Amino acid sequence: MTQHPSPSIKELLHPRNVAIFGASGDETKWGGRLLHYMSKHRIDGQIFPINPKGEKLLGIQSYPTLADCPERVDMAILLVPKSRALASVRDCVANGVACAVAITSGFAETGPEGLALEQQLVREARAGGMRLIGPNCMGLLNTHHNLAATTAVTMAYVDKLPTGPIGMASQSGALMGAMLARGVDTGAGFSTMVTLGNQADIDQNDVFQYLIDDPLTEVIALYIEAVRGSERFVELLARARAAGKPVLIVKSGRTAAGERAVMSHTASLAGAWASFEAVCRAHGAYLFDNVFDLLAGAQLLARGHAMRAPGVAVFSGSGGGGALFVDSLDEIGLPLPALSEQTKRGLEELLPPSHRELPIDFGVINHGAEPDPRFGNAVGTAMGRVLEDEAIGAGIVFLTTQPNMDMIAESTIRVGEHCGKPLLFVHGASTVGDIARQVLREKGYGYVESPNDAVGVLAALWRRQETLAPTGAPASSFDLPKDLGTGYLAEPNARRLLAAAGIPVTPWREAASVAQAVEAAAALQSAVAIKAVSPTLIHKSDVGAVKLNIAGEAAVRRACEEIAAAVEQAGHELTGYLVTTMLRPDAELIVGLQRDPEFGPMVMVGAGGVLVELMKDVQLRPAPLSPEQAATMLDGLKCGPLLDGWRGGKPVDRARLIDILVRVGQLAVQMPGLTELDINPLFIADGEPVAADARAVLA
Amino acid sequence: MTQHPSPSIKELLHPRNVAIFGASGDETKWGGRLLHYMSKHRIDGQIFPINPKGEKLLGIQSYPTLADCPERVDMAILLVPKSRALASVRDCVANGVACAVAITSGFAETGPEGLALEQQLVREARAGGMRLIGPNCMGLLNTHHNLAATTAVTMAYVDKLPTGPIGMASQSGALMGAMLARGVDTGAGFSTMVTLGNQADIDQNDVFQYLIDDPLTEVIALYIEAVRGSERFVELLARARAAGKPVLIVKSGRTAAGERAVMSHTASLAGAWASFEAVCRAHGAYLFDNVFDLLAGAQLLARGHAMRAPGVAVFSGSGGGGALFVDSLDEIGLPLPALSEQTKRGLEELLPPSHRELPIDFGVINHGAEPDPRFGNAVGTAMGRVLEDEAIGAGIVFLTTQPNMDMIAESTIRVGEHCGKPLLFVHGASTVGDIARQVLREKGYGYVESPNDAVGVLAALWRRQETLAPTGAPASSFDLPKDLGTGYLAEPNARRLLAAAGIPVTPWREAASVAQAVEAAAALQSAVAIKAVSPTLIHKSDVGAVKLNIAGEAAVRRACEEIAAAVEQAGHELTGYLVTTMLRPDAELIVGLQRDPEFGPMVMVGAGGVLVELMKDVQLRPAPLSPEQAATMLDGLKCGPLLDGWRGGKPVDRARLIDILVRVGQLAVQMPGLTELDINPLFIADGEPVAADARAVLA
């Protein structure tokens, strides 16, 4: 079987003539709905319904097979029952169709039998030089090409396709449909929307790449259940960033329960969230919790304005509404910013003295004040001047029911377009405020209707900014010991590995005998910890093979004897003792290296000791790691106050800590066989980070 | 000046004839709008616009003064400028008006001058037997009495007042307006809504009490900026609970920033959130983060269904949408529940084997299955059977765009009315789904449009259930020492107080001299801690006046000498030594007693040690405390795993810990002069809670 050269995704998404297998004249059926939507919106090329009887359907001539159609067909949409899918694909291949969009379901998502049939479809399609989207999808939309090849019911309600800058690839048809419907309401514009279904042939990365290259797409929105092709996905994230196109992502399966829920309903396997999140953050993608927040975020970001400071300016006609926003923003780590004296001076004419601070109450604005021509009227001028304040990274306009709601909407649009910062309109005026909704929709500005959504959108915008840092790590070539062996490394070898990579470890000696241990303790000139060295014993503390705070020869001897007895009782072999200086740490961290099966090596840092499990305070980034990325990891730790000089203690040497994280990342690159590394604990003692225990696994 | 007997709030809210001071014929003015709304909606009694010219306004005869009106007036609405407010009040008093609703602003909220004028209004009104609502409010609504005495612009959009069971008292006019507008959209029904403005006379408690007594009000919704009259407020919470009327509250000022924002915009002073929250939880009130969540919660609770289990059943036509809900719910502590085998059997006819688990995908329901007559069709039957599962406390129906949206809405309504559990409809289908919206509105069912709102509403419902416990503590009469003195108590006295209240303290001795300390240490038969006893030294550790882990006579002597030197150097008087057994705690808690200026004594328990400041893991409840309430405090601690036997340790004696909290509460009642008590740390050692240090302040 020879493989024909594939047409590009771009060619596939710009067909001239489109055939519909399973078209119907009955609009209560999907085949009738789709025919209706296609014929309503498509003004270029021709539509050929394929129907055995060859009659007219909704006034359009149908044909029994493709061969009967008067013109060549570029794209076929399959709405036939599963049992007829293969025959349709064969008809397509026989007639040189470039792309089939299989909306038909009942394939891999139903089990092994469906999967086999799906694979046969793909095999035959590819052999015939045809690409396949789906099956089990909801079709696609290419608004700039007037192509509404989707069963999304919104198509029945709009007269004109909502063209615009948002490109979308979704692993859920229903959620794409929901975003499309919401987008039509709020004035969002879309370039291309593709639902991927089972991704039997064309996958999300193919469409992601197309959207990066598509000049009509300015922001890219992805709904993901599982990444297929993680390496390429990461490359595409980097490419989109280089192209200056924001990538906005919702991924289900953030929690174990959500992951199971995804698996139970699709043919794909959801990947672990933590690594996915780390990779997205490292590459500057925006992560949202749900699709409506993502849509609102896409509308904001399509204006090219990122949120560069955490201060949110709340503008509200309701004092209480403004105060509630202040509470909610503060709770997610966006505290109320103070306006500069300069900004306050700029508000003198506009607001009474008691009101020249956030949240701004536009109910008391002096409409007689001289407006700034950039910002229109007095309301706009107040908003614009506040947004110009350096402390402000974004704004929220909260509309409750009031007169002149269109004026508030128009001021918001004007300021939002010109101020260079995201300004989100929160429409809280229900149907009574339809006039404002209409203004916002017509100008394509967008809005949300829930204060919770506004908080969610800004949280996503700021979290991205907070973790944004250059990628790429300094090159390194550590002179690593060659005699470490493989498998689980006993602590002395793990310590030698760390030391070779320039990571500080507590002063230590290895002792083959009790006598050597006594000598080692004396040489270290401090109280010591003594631990068993054993090639097989991993959890030393659990069996009593670690003794702390040992001072004096007698105590050292006793500790060694007790350890020997404990190791023997636990059935392990004792090869010696590790003697190391006791430190009194001010704080404990965990630093580690993991290899994600999808996304490769990840550097981890987290709160140690009792905090590990209580706070789940962990930051993860893909290795290698730039110093700037390592810094964002430390910034993201909730236990940060412990590092900054807790209760009068000395603050940690931050540069040194960053350096350790970078070195762990470098080690991951230089030593592909290092499958696991755990520095637990990494002590912070007198401000200095130092590894107090380590374990490693070498492949 | 004699004070006339006041009419009841009920009488005030049921006026026959209403006068409008400041009425206008111009509907772009508030005085014209209100006249229009009043005349549009009011079918009983008469409306008398008061206007100097005595002309017809919007077709209604006006009169220059009340005396000119042809009938007696019961209620007057004041929309006049501030400068004419006093004259209007005098006219009202002279003509026996029972209640004036002062929408006019410019009083206490603007400063001392406004406050003085406001006080004069109230004085003259009360002296004349008249009550005042406002000033600076947005009026009120009594739907069952056809009274639309409000400037809320929604009144222009509705033909019929939205009658129903939700009674509301709001410290924000704009937010009440927003809830009213949203409620009209979603089919909510209101009994009485009152905006309180500056509460110069009638305050929120007055209206709260009325709503409890009002037979037409079934749930009570309060928007609060500051509680005025906290003791009465607490009594009313208890009374509402006894009456079986859920109380739903949004309070701004949850955070320090929000508190400032409230103060800057109203005449009231926002109270501290923590005590307020504790009191509300103790009395079973529902706390929401914003007013739209509150409204949706009120609609759910009006059906009389509380959420009694944390399991949320998600029903969605979109697999991806269902999975995202599972993620979001899990993240707020509502993990995905497992359905029982019995429930799964009940789904056999309705769903394929792979789909008989949550989230339920109603896209694959077998519509041919035999429906349960209680639940209507097959979709309803699947929902109803799942909701009957014991693990399920509430449900979410998530609608994305699809055919037959009205059917989904109708099934939800039927099941939601009959299943006895809150079932929240999340309308994610935008304008395309107006048919579902219409069904939900007409049946008065309600819906939210944002997944975030749904999560917020259920979080509030479950948090309330989680902290719900009987109030009232066991009586006690501790035989307390009489010689404790006043002011700050040195540790020995604080320990004697605890011991007298039956709270365990670590074994200890007081020593007047070094020799006695040596004796004490010997008597305790363990390593000891030695601390300075000083009537003036509060922070002993900070000056080096605490020595830990002391063993042996020599060490005790040295420790005492060092402590004496340290206390002297710090300029304090040393009166002795406290010698106490050293324990190795598995965990540390803080237990304390505070007296809130508004809400009285509060018992506090929190994570101790390094966790205090990092995790802010604290639970507060008003004293006295029932054992059940104390149990909910422990359940609410994030450090709970530390108590349950951390890493193989012995679990804490929970009953003993609960008993300690109850005793602290009893102490607060028995000893009103005990203004502060801190047990820090309360050690958990070998499963036993025991106070290791204490301080107290006696008035």
Side-chain angles (χ1 to χ4, degrees):
Chain A
M1 212 172 344
T2 55
Q3 186 119 1
H4 293 236
S6 277
S8 71
I9 304 289
K10 178 176 176 177
E11 287 165 332
L12 301 181
L13 296 177
H14 290 77
R16 189 172 151 70
N17 298 329
V18 180
I20 305 173
F21 286 79
S24 162
D26 178 354
E27 285 191 51
T28 69
K29 295 185 176 165
W30 288 117
R33 288 196 188 97
L34 186 118
L35 178 59
H36 171 67
Y37 306 159
M38 281 285 292
S39 58
K40 178 175 176 184
H41 294 290
R42 186 163 169 79
I43 54 171
D44 319 324
Q46 294 206 53
I47 298 167
F48 303 122
I50 305 298
N51 189 286
K53 296 186 192 151
E55 61 202 356
K56 280 202 169 186
L57 303 174
L58 305 179
I60 303 169
Q61 182 60 51
S62 76
Y63 302 90
T65 70
L66 279 183
D68 303 312
C69 297
E71 286 192 33
R72 177 196 159 88
V73 165
D74 307 299
M75 173 183 277
I77 301 165
L78 311 190
L79 276 155
V80 293
K82 177 178 62 165
S83 57
R84 280 166 44 207
L86 190 58
S88 304
V89 164
R90 286 176 178 163
D91 192 7
C92 289
V93 166
N95 287 278
V97 170
C99 180
V101 181
I103 293 173
T104 305
S105 64
F107 296 90
E109 80 277 15
T110 62
E113 212 170 310
L115 175 63
L117 181 55
E118 181 175 304
Q119 286 169 336
Q120 191 177 358
L121 288 190
V122 175
R123 237 178 359 252
E124 299 209 8
R126 288 207 169 176
M130 184 173 82
R131 299 301 302 268
L132 196 76
I133 293 175
N136 185 31
C137 76
M138 241 175 74
L140 54 87
L141 205 63
N142 180 351
T143 63
H144 296 285
H145 191 58
N146 295 307
L147 177 67
T150 174
T151 48
V153 296
T154 304
M155 292 298 98
Y157 292 77
V158 293
D159 293 326
K160 195 182 152 307
L161 292 181
T163 56
I166 303 171
M168 187 176 288
S170 172
Q171 290 186 24
S172 161
L175 292 182
M176 187 203 84
M179 284 187 271
L180 175 63
R182 180 70 58 99
V184 165
D185 276 12
T186 65
F190 301 95
S191 53
T192 297
M193 298 176 111
V194 179
T195 64
L196 283 320
N198 293 356
Q199 305 184 77
D201 176 23
I202 288 174
D203 67 17
Q204 194 160 27
N205 282 338
D206 295 323
V207 181
F208 185 7
Q209 180 170 337
Y210 164 75
L211 295 172
I212 296 171
D213 296 337
D214 175 28
L216 298 171
T217 295
E218 292 166 30
V219 298
I220 298 168
L222 306 175
Y223 169 73
I224 301 178
E225 295 186 349
V227 174
R228 185 170 300 184
S230 46
E231 206 168 317
R232 184 173 170 215
F233 175 74
V234 175
E235 276 168 28
L236 291 172
L237 285 178
R239 203 159 132 184
R241 188 178 182 185
K245 295 192 181 182
V247 178
L248 295 82
I249 297 175
V250 169
K251 185 178 179 301
S252 51
R254 296 195 300 273
T255 65
E259 202 170 324
R260 278 196 305 279
V262 171
M263 286 191 283
S264 69
H265 105 275
T266 73
S268 40
L269 188 80
W273 167 254
S275 300
F276 174 84
E277 183 189 29
V279 162
C280 290
R281 295 221 175 285
H283 290 87
Y286 291 87
L287 294 171
F288 293 82
D289 287 353
N290 71 60
V291 294
F292 298 129
D293 290 4
L294 173 140
L295 177 66
Q299 286 178 275
L300 283 181
L301 292 169
R303 269 165 231 130
H305 308 155
M307 180 173 173
R308 298 189 207 286
V312 177
V314 176
F315 306 96
S316 169
S318 147
L324 288 174
F325 265 114
V326 169
D327 282 330
S328 294
L329 291 165
D330 189 271
E331 283 165 348
I332 61 153
L334 296 174
L336 186 71
L339 296 177
S340 72
E341 287 310 311
Q342 190 193 338
T343 302
K344 287 186 183 175
R345 275 197 301 280
L347 298 174
E348 271 170 13
E349 305 269 288
L350 293 152
L351 289 162
S354 58
H355 282 71
R356 290 174 205 150
E357 55 188 21
L358 294 170
I360 297 290
D361 185 346
F362 52 60
V364 296
I365 278 176
N366 170 20
H367 295 276
E370 180 76 29
D372 185 320
R374 293 173 300 160
F375 301 128
N377 56 22
V379 168
T381 300
M383 287 187 194
R385 291 204 177 142
V386 169
L387 282 166
E388 283 179 335
D389 192 298
E390 268 194 4
I392 303 302
I396 284 175
V397 176
F398 181 47
L399 181 78
T400 47
T401 54
Q402 59 169 81
N404 305 319
M405 294 193 272
D406 48 347
M407 183 271 284
I408 299 293
E410 278 158 5
S411 296
T412 304
I413 292 168
R414 182 153 183 166
V415 175
E417 302 280 358
H418 291 92
C419 71
K421 296 177 182 177
L423 180 58
L424 182 58
F425 195 96
V426 185
H427 193 299
S430 302
T431 301
V432 175
D434 260 347
I435 179 71
R437 227 174 249 112
Q438 190 183 321
V439 168
L440 293 159
R441 182 187 309 126
E442 279 171 8
K443 300 279 173 67
Y445 191 83
Y447 56 85
V448 296
E449 306 217 357
S450 154
N452 293 321
D453 292 3
V455 171
V457 169
L458 293 189
L461 261 52
W462 178 244
R463 274 202 313 260
R464 184 263 188 177
Q465 198 67 21
E466 232 180 355
T467 52
L468 200 62
T471 53
S476 76
S477 182
F478 301 130
D479 185 13
L480 299 176
K482 305 277 183 285
D483 57 347
L484 296 174
T486 58
Y488 161 72
L489 300 191
E491 189 177 338
N493 276 350
R495 283 175 170 258
R496 287 166 61 212
L497 177 60
L498 292 183
I503 296 167
V505 294
T506 52
W508 64 289
R509 299 278 191 285
E510 198 173 351
S513 64
V514 175
Q516 282 187 15
V518 169
E519 237 171 80
L524 289 170
Q525 294 185 315
S526 88
V528 294
I530 304 180
K531 315 182 197 181
V533 177
S534 162
T536 53
L537 178 59
I538 299 182
H539 299 291
K540 300 180 287 258
S541 298
D542 296 356
V543 301
V546 175
K547 300 284 167 184
L548 302 176
N549 221 2
I550 309 297
E553 185 178 330
V556 171
R557 284 191 189 281
R558 196 167 54 243
C560 289
E561 282 153 17
E562 286 172 12
I563 286 172
V567 172
E568 190 181 352
Q569 191 178 354
H572 289 278
E573 184 198 352
L574 183 76
T575 58
Y577 303 96
L578 190 148
V579 184
T580 179
T581 305
M582 276 299 295
L583 290 181
R584 277 201 159 265
D586 299 318
E588 291 181 30
L589 296 178
I590 290 184
V591 171
L593 170 70
Q594 302 165 1
R595 292 191 188 263
D596 184 86
E598 295 288 320
F599 295 104
M602 298 277 155
V603 178
M604 186 264 279
V605 62
V610 77
L611 298 176
V612 185
E613 280 157 80
L614 279 186
M615 293 183 70
K616 291 173 184 55
D617 183 19
V618 161
Q619 291 279 313
L620 208 65
R621 294 288 186 286
L625 202 66
S626 68
E628 294 84 354
Q629 286 177 313
T632 67
M633 294 174 78
L634 298 182
D635 291 343
L637 286 179
K638 283 175 254 166
C639 72
L642 280 186
L643 306 179
D644 296 340
W646 182 249
R647 290 185 169 159
K650 196 167 167 185
V652 70
D653 181 341
R654 221 179 139 74
R656 193 76 188 98
L657 192 48
I658 287 170
D659 181 60
I660 290 173
L661 297 178
V662 171
R663 284 169 187 270
V664 170
Q666 289 169 322
L667 204 47
V669 175
Q670 190 182 329
M671 206 172 185
L674 181 62
T675 54
E676 268 182 55
L677 175 67
D678 262 320
I679 305 174
N680 182 14
L682 180 84
F683 277 168
I684 312 294
D686 202 26
E688 288 301 317
V690 54
D693 196 355
R695 52 187 293 272
V697 178
L698 286 189
Chain B
M1 205 171 350
T2 56
Q3 186 119 359
H4 293 235
S6 276
S8 72
I9 304 290
K10 178 177 177 176
E11 286 166 331
L12 300 181
L13 296 178
H14 291 77
R16 187 171 152 70
N17 298 329
V18 180
I20 305 173
F21 287 78
S24 163
D26 178 354
E27 285 191 52
T28 69
K29 295 185 176 166
W30 289 117
R33 287 197 188 99
L34 186 118
L35 178 58
H36 171 66
Y37 306 158
M38 281 285 293
S39 57
K40 179 177 176 184
H41 293 290
R42 187 164 169 77
I43 54 171
D44 320 323
Q46 294 206 54
I47 299 166
F48 304 121
I50 306 297
N51 188 287
K53 296 186 193 151
E55 61 202 354
K56 279 202 170 186
L57 303 174
L58 304 179
I60 303 169
Q61 182 61 51
S62 76
Y63 304 90
T65 70
L66 280 183
D68 303 311
C69 296
E71 287 191 32
R72 178 196 158 89
V73 165
D74 308 298
M75 173 183 278
I77 302 164
L78 311 189
L79 276 155
V80 293
K82 177 178 62 165
S83 56
R84 280 167 42 209
L86 190 57
S88 305
V89 164
R90 286 174 180 164
D91 193 6
C92 290
V93 166
N95 287 278
V97 170
C99 181
V101 180
I103 293 174
T104 305
S105 63
F107 295 89
E109 80 276 14
T110 62
E113 213 171 309
L115 174 63
L117 181 54
E118 182 175 302
Q119 286 168 336
Q120 192 176 357
L121 288 189
V122 174
R123 234 176 5 249
E124 299 209 7
R126 289 207 169 176
M130 184 174 83
R131 299 300 303 268
L132 194 76
I133 292 176
N136 185 31
C137 75
M138 241 175 74
L140 54 87
L141 205 64
N142 179 351
T143 64
H144 296 286
H145 191 59
N146 296 307
L147 177 67
T150 174
T151 49
V153 295
T154 303
M155 292 298 99
Y157 292 78
V158 293
D159 293 326
K160 194 184 153 307
L161 292 181
T163 57
I166 304 171
M168 188 176 289
S170 172
Q171 290 185 25
S172 161
L175 292 182
M176 186 202 84
M179 284 187 271
L180 175 63
R182 180 70 58 99
V184 165
D185 276 12
T186 65
F190 302 95
S191 53
T192 298
M193 298 176 110
V194 179
T195 65
L196 299 152
N198 293 355
Q199 306 183 76
D201 176 21
I202 288 175
D203 66 18
Q204 194 159 26
N205 282 337
D206 296 322
V207 181
F208 185 7
Q209 181 171 337
Y210 164 75
L211 295 172
I212 296 171
D213 296 337
D214 175 27
L216 298 171
T217 296
E218 293 166 30
V219 298
I220 298 169
L222 306 175
Y223 169 74
I224 301 177
E225 295 185 350
V227 175
R228 185 170 299 184
S230 45
E231 205 167 319
R232 183 171 170 216
F233 174 73
V234 175
E235 276 167 30
L236 292 172
L237 285 178
R239 203 160 132 183
R241 188 178 181 184
K245 295 192 181 182
V247 178
L248 295 81
I249 298 175
V250 169
K251 184 177 181 301
S252 51
R254 297 194 299 272
T255 65
E259 202 169 326
R260 280 197 305 278
V262 171
M263 285 191 283
S264 68
H265 105 275
T266 72
S268 42
L269 188 79
W273 167 254
S275 300
F276 174 83
E277 184 189 27
V279 162
C280 289
R281 294 219 175 287
H283 289 88
Y286 291 86
L287 295 170
F288 294 81
D289 287 353
N290 71 60
V291 294
F292 297 130
D293 291 4
L294 173 140
L295 178 66
Q299 286 178 275
L300 283 181
L301 293 169
R303 269 165 232 131
H305 308 155
M307 180 173 173
R308 298 189 207 285
V312 177
V314 175
F315 306 95
S316 168
S318 146
L324 288 174
F325 266 113
V326 169
D327 281 329
S328 294
L329 291 164
D330 190 90
E331 283 164 349
I332 60 153
L334 296 174
L336 186 70
L339 296 177
S340 72
E341 287 310 311
Q342 190 193 340
T343 302
K344 286 186 184 176
R345 273 196 301 280
L347 298 174
E348 271 171 13
E349 305 270 288
L350 294 153
L351 289 162
S354 58
H355 283 71
R356 290 174 204 149
E357 53 189 23
L358 294 171
I360 298 290
D361 186 346
F362 51 61
V364 296
I365 277 175
N366 170 21
H367 294 277
E370 180 76 28
D372 185 320
R374 293 173 300 161
F375 301 128
N377 56 23
V379 168
T381 300
M383 287 187 194
R385 292 206 177 141
V386 169
L387 282 166
E388 284 179 334
D389 192 296
E390 268 193 4
I392 303 303
I396 283 176
V397 176
F398 181 46
L399 181 78
T400 47
T401 56
Q402 58 168 80
N404 305 319
M405 294 193 272
D406 47 348
M407 184 270 285
I408 299 293
E410 278 159 4
S411 296
T412 304
I413 292 168
R414 181 153 184 167
V415 175
E417 302 279 358
H418 290 93
C419 71
K421 297 177 182 176
L423 179 59
L424 181 59
F425 196 96
V426 185
H427 193 299
S430 302
T431 301
V432 175
D434 260 348
I435 179 71
R437 227 175 248 109
Q438 191 184 319
V439 168
L440 293 159
R441 182 188 309 123
E442 280 171 7
K443 301 278 173 64
Y445 191 83
Y447 56 85
V448 297
E449 306 217 356
S450 154
N452 293 322
D453 292 4
V455 171
V457 169
L458 293 190
L461 260 52
W462 179 243
R463 274 202 314 262
R464 183 263 188 178
Q465 198 66 23
E466 229 179 357
T467 52
L468 199 62
T471 53
S476 76
S477 181
F478 303 128
D479 185 13
L480 300 176
K482 307 275 181 289
D483 57 347
L484 296 173
T486 58
Y488 160 73
L489 300 192
E491 189 176 337
N493 276 349
R495 282 175 170 260
R496 286 166 60 212
L497 178 60
L498 292 183
I503 296 168
V505 294
T506 51
W508 65 289
R509 299 278 190 286
E510 197 171 354
S513 64
V514 176
Q516 284 186 13
V518 169
E519 237 171 81
L524 288 169
Q525 294 185 316
S526 87
V528 295
I530 304 181
K531 316 181 197 182
V533 177
S534 162
T536 54
L537 177 59
I538 300 182
H539 300 291
K540 298 180 288 258
S541 298
D542 296 357
V543 302
V546 175
K547 301 285 168 184
L548 300 177
N549 220 2
I550 309 297
E553 183 177 334
V556 171
R557 284 191 189 281
R558 195 166 57 243
C560 288
E561 282 153 16
E562 286 173 11
I563 286 172
V567 172
E568 190 182 353
Q569 192 177 355
H572 288 278
E573 184 198 351
L574 184 75
T575 59
Y577 303 95
L578 190 148
V579 184
T580 179
T581 303
M582 275 300 292
L583 290 181
R584 278 201 159 265
D586 300 317
E588 289 181 30
L589 296 177
I590 290 183
V591 171
L593 171 69
Q594 302 165 1
R595 292 191 188 263
D596 184 86
E598 294 288 320
F599 295 104
M602 298 278 156
V603 178
M604 187 265 280
V605 61
V610 76
L611 298 175
V612 185
E613 281 157 80
L614 278 186
M615 295 183 67
K616 291 172 184 59
D617 183 20
V618 161
Q619 292 279 315
L620 207 65
R621 294 288 186 287
L625 201 66
S626 69
E628 294 84 354
Q629 286 177 313
T632 68
M633 295 174 78
L634 298 182
D635 291 341
L637 286 179
K638 284 176 252 165
C639 72
L642 280 185
L643 305 179
D644 296 339
W646 182 249
R647 290 185 170 159
K650 196 166 167 186
V652 71
D653 182 342
R654 222 179 137 73
R656 193 75 188 99
L657 193 47
I658 287 170
D659 181 61
I660 290 173
L661 297 178
V662 170
R663 284 169 188 271
V664 170
Q666 290 170 321
L667 205 47
V669 175
Q670 190 181 332
M671 207 173 184
L674 180 62
T675 55
E676 268 181 57
L677 175 67
D678 262 320
I679 305 175
N680 182 14
L682 180 83
F683 277 167
I684 312 295
D686 200 27
E688 287 301 316
V690 53
D693 196 355
R695 52 186 295 273
V697 178
L698 287 190

